[in-house]
Each structure stands twice: as C-alpha cells, then as structure tokens.
Amino acid sequence: MSDYVAYWSRADVDRIVAEVYSAPFSLIQASGTTTFETAADVSAFLTQTFAKLRESGYGESKLNHFEVCRVHGDLAVVETNYTRYQRDGAVMGSEGRAATYVLRRTADGLRIVAVIPHTE
C-alpha cells in the first residue's frame, strides 16, 4: 500500500497499471459501479483522474494507516486512511479520507481489483 500511495502521489499511471491494479478493475461508489475491463481502460481512467487532481492543485497523498480486514483464499480486503495535500502543503478536502480495497492474488502477486472510496 505504501508503494501504491507513492506511485499515486507521482501520478505514475504506468506503474499503477503494471504493479498495483488488475483488470478488470471496479470503482464502487454510492452513485454506481464502473468497471474498467482492460489495462488500457484503467490507464485512461487514471490519466483522467490525475488531470482533474492536478487542476485542483493536488500535490501528494500520505498513507496514515491501513489494516487488512479479512483474508480468504486469494482475496484480501484492506481498509485505508490517508490524507491528500495540495501543492502548497494544505490539506485537500477531508483530512481523514478512507477507502476500502479488494485485492486478488494473481500470478504477478496481490493486485487491487476494486476500490470503494468512503470520501468523495
């Protein structure tokens, strides 16, 4: 999770797609679920997300803590708490953001297959 947050802070789409996420990848929000079927779809989604974040003054994220909540076979559920910062160091939005991640063991190791953000 620490590597993921470092890649996210650098907007390193290539590393996130290659080392962190697995396709298909689902974003599960209160408004509905979006599934990105291919690595190219995930890459396009991340590129658009980082462009929006940069436009909003995003600088970096810091992982406050995470906890593996349940492991069953090749699945793990991880709860995280993190903070986003603007380029000037101010907290961006809520200080205690949270998200749930579903990870699946693949031939390449554990990969995130779904994210449920608790903070919009």
Side-chain angles (χ1 to χ4, degrees):
M1 293 307 294
S2 297
D3 287 346
Y4 169 52
V5 173
Y7 300 158
W8 186 274
S9 292
R10 293 193 309 259
D12 194 337
V13 171
D14 293 338
R15 294 222 42 198
I16 294 171
V17 171
E19 300 177 20
V20 181
Y21 287 1
S22 181
F25 167 81
S26 296
L27 177 62
I28 304 168
Q29 299 173 295
S31 59
T33 300
T34 305
T35 299
F36 304 94
E37 296 294 338
T38 67
D41 295 338
V42 174
S43 180
F45 159 70
L46 289 170
T47 299
Q48 180 181 36
T49 298
F50 290 129
K52 287 179 184 176
L53 284 170
R54 277 191 301 277
E55 288 173 12
S56 299
Y58 175 75
E60 67 177 335
S61 294
K62 299 254 174 147
L63 183 63
N64 300 323
H65 68 273
F66 71 93
E67 178 180 352
V68 178
C69 298
R70 181 177 13 178
V71 176
H72 176 74
D74 289 335
L75 292 176
V77 176
V78 178
E79 296 284 337
T80 64
N81 178 279
Y82 62 98
T83 303
R84 283 187 181 159
Y85 294 92
Q86 295 178 330
R87 286 186 291 272
D88 66 4
V91 172
M92 183 178 202
S94 301
E95 188 165 349
R97 293 173 176 266
T100 299
Y101 294 86
V102 179
L103 289 77
R104 180 182 305 276
R105 185 170 308 284
T106 70
D108 297 321
L110 284 172
R111 297 292 186 258
I112 296 172
V113 296
V115 174
I116 306 165
H118 299 233
T119 310
E120 294 296 327

